[in-house]
Amino acid sequence: MTQPGFEDLLRGLTPQVLGTLVRRYGRFEGCEDAVQEAVLAAAVQWPSEGVPDNPRGWLVTVASRRLIDRLRGDRARREREWATAAAEVVPQEVPDTDDTLLLLFLCCHPALTAASQTALTLRAVGGLTTAEIARAFLVPEATMAARITRAKQRIRAAGGSFGESGRALPAKEREERLRVVLQVLYLIFNEGYTASSGGELHRPDLAREAIRLTRTVRALLPEDDEVTGLLALMLLNHARRAARTTASGDLVPLAEQDRAAWDRELIEEGTALVKAALAGPGLGPYQLQAAIAATHADAATAESTDWRQVCALYLILERIAPNPMVTLNRAVALAETEGPRAGLDLLATLDADSRMAGHHRLLSVRAHLLERTGDAAGAYEHYRRAARGTASLAERRYLEARAARVRPAG
């Protein structure tokens, strides 16, 4: 097996092994440390000695022995048994269950902030190191380590365990916790799809990790249409990644993208998932967003986009899940069906929303619509303000270029 193959295997097994240990012993923080050490032992040992017949059982055994050693507090025995376990492991009987979903519930505990939920999910379920997560969110490693440590402490203080975070939860509470899990996965994907700061527009590793985790959740909950819708949304958006920037890293808006560069395989899979998601009895925000993405993917050219359908889907989305960003996107669609003035009128309804005050996305959309009306001075001012308001260098370069293009003479 190649090195990437080992890494993929270990990354897939890590949340399963951690879930098994937490179910068996509790002590989330200690279990997570023990699993990381078992994974490190496997990464060193398996490439030269071969993958065990039962790799999951091997990891569970090594991690369990490490955890037990810690609990006993016997340093000499700990080192001796750990060396023995790492060199010669007889796999324990491991239940044939996958606790990844329960682990996600635990990482997305309501006692945590959204930032902590995201960081802990990437660490415990995604298998990313603290350094990798810190680089992804452009913060010092020490800052991210402290955030993850505080998250674990909060879970411990709140009494977080599988007994209260898994299938034993009442149906309504379980459904609410699942929505938090999906929101965290959505946030991880969005950060990978359009980085909130830094010089690169994309962080493909985060986007791919969000997709992998969402595939895992769907495998565990294939009947949940919102899970299916979220996976479809990710795949359809990720399919456009290669066309979203130039060779030099500059942003290319949707209307100007080379659609031949879109990943047709991902689009076909995403479109099939959208159809499956919409066939169910309910209708949720991820299903609707996926349907919008599929409408764009169906169009051979930007001009052939069914903007009336997009606008109708945004209107439904706005009614079931009100959000200023949804209104912002509906304004773009409305401008395509009824003209830029109609879009600007809808944008005006967002001016009183404190969440959107000075937001660079609102400013950039308004600039674009003003440019379409022929108001070069207004467009120039809004493009400049939007450029100053974003922490993404790729977006800033794009907005500054648009401002330069419409800058009034003199």
Side-chain angles (χ1 to χ4, degrees):
M1 187 180 292
T2 64
Q3 188 64 29
F6 281 114
E7 291 175 357
D8 290 343
L9 175 61
L10 288 171
R11 179 161 286 187
L13 288 173
T14 295
Q16 298 178 37
V17 174
L18 179 55
T20 298
L21 258 69
V22 173
R23 178 185 287 280
R24 184 178 293 173
Y25 301 109
R27 300 177 179 270
F28 176 84
E29 189 168 359
C31 288
E32 203 250 350
D33 290 339
V35 170
Q36 290 298 324
E37 294 187 24
V39 168
L40 178 60
V44 171
Q45 198 166 322
W46 291 1
S48 60
E49 299 183 10
V51 178
D53 292 337
N54 182 359
R56 183 169 171 232
W58 191 101
L59 289 167
V60 169
T61 300
V62 173
S64 295
R65 290 183 181 179
R66 182 56 168 164
L67 180 63
I68 290 169
D69 281 345
R70 284 189 172 193
L71 295 178
R72 287 174 176 165
D74 184 340
R75 182 181 181 87
R77 178 170 182 155
R78 180 176 66 222
E79 293 176 353
R80 184 171 61 253
E81 289 188 2
W82 175 241
T84 301
E88 195 175 327
V89 173
V90 178
Q92 294 181 6
E93 196 67 33
V94 179
D96 188 22
T97 58
D98 187 344
D99 289 321
T100 302
L101 181 61
L102 304 185
L103 189 59
L104 276 165
F105 278 137
L106 194 60
C107 292
C108 297
H109 196 286
L112 304 181
T113 64
S116 294
Q117 289 170 342
T118 300
L120 195 57
T121 297
L122 287 172
R123 169 73 173 164
V125 189
L128 275 66
T129 66
T130 302
E132 287 173 327
I133 302 169
R135 284 197 298 271
F137 290 94
L138 300 180
V139 299
E141 183 176 351
T143 300
M144 185 55 68
R147 181 179 298 172
I148 292 172
T149 298
R150 285 195 300 270
K152 295 175 184 177
Q153 291 170 345
R154 281 181 177 272
I155 286 179
R156 186 171 62 230
S161 68
F162 276 1
E164 68 172 22
S165 62
R167 295 182 179 86
L169 284 170
K172 182 178 180 182
E173 188 176 348
R174 182 172 180 270
E175 182 68 18
E176 290 173 353
R177 190 76 67 89
L178 177 61
R179 295 313 122 192
V180 176
V181 168
L182 297 186
Q183 183 181 27
V184 168
L185 295 178
Y186 183 52
L187 289 172
I188 293 171
F189 177 81
N190 280 347
E191 184 62 26
Y193 182 68
T194 302
S196 59
S197 57
E200 301 295 328
L201 181 67
H202 310 114
R203 288 179 185 154
D205 55 335
L206 281 181
R208 286 192 292 265
E209 185 58 25
I211 291 171
R212 185 186 72 82
L213 292 174
T214 307
R215 285 190 189 280
T216 300
V217 175
R218 184 169 187 266
L220 297 168
L221 297 172
E223 76 288 349
D224 192 294
D225 294 326
E226 271 287 79
V227 175
T228 300
L230 178 58
L231 178 57
L233 174 62
M234 290 179 179
L235 294 176
L236 290 167
N237 284 339
H238 195 60
R240 301 199 297 261
R241 186 176 69 84
R244 293 184 67 227
T245 55
T246 64
S248 59
D250 291 330
L251 186 151
V252 179
L254 178 62
E256 300 172 20
Q257 289 175 18
D258 176 8
R259 300 188 175 214
W262 289 2
D263 188 322
R264 300 313 306 180
E265 186 176 336
L266 287 182
I267 287 175
E268 289 174 8
E269 182 184 1
T271 300
L273 288 172
V274 170
K275 292 177 181 177
L278 295 178
L283 195 60
Y286 295 121
Q287 294 160 266
L288 286 166
Q289 290 179 76
I292 292 167
T295 304
H296 287 296
D298 285 341
T301 64
E303 293 73 24
S304 63
T305 302
D306 188 346
W307 282 106
R308 292 196 179 281
Q309 178 169 306
V310 172
C311 200
L313 288 168
Y314 270 125
L315 187 59
I316 298 171
L317 179 59
E318 195 175 35
R319 287 175 178 170
I320 70 170
N323 183 291
M325 285 298 175
V326 174
T327 303
L328 184 69
N329 288 322
R330 185 164 75 87
V332 174
L334 190 64
E336 295 295 334
T337 60
E338 299 184 22
R341 287 292 177 191
L344 286 167
D345 288 342
L346 182 55
L347 287 184
T349 65
L350 295 174
D351 289 337
D353 192 322
S354 59
R355 294 170 293 179
M356 298 301 290
H359 198 288
H360 72 277
R361 295 271 163 79
L362 175 59
L363 292 168
S364 62
V365 170
R366 180 169 278 140
H368 172 65
L369 297 184
L370 288 171
E371 180 182 354
R372 288 182 55 185
T373 66
D375 184 354
Y380 172 70
E381 179 59 28
H382 282 80
Y383 278 133
R384 289 185 62 204
R385 289 177 60 196
R388 291 195 297 267
T390 179
S392 166
L393 297 182
E395 286 188 325
R396 186 179 304 163
R397 288 195 303 268
Y398 170 76
L399 293 166
E400 288 174 346
R402 300 287 294 203
R405 191 177 74 176
V406 300
R407 182 174 184 172

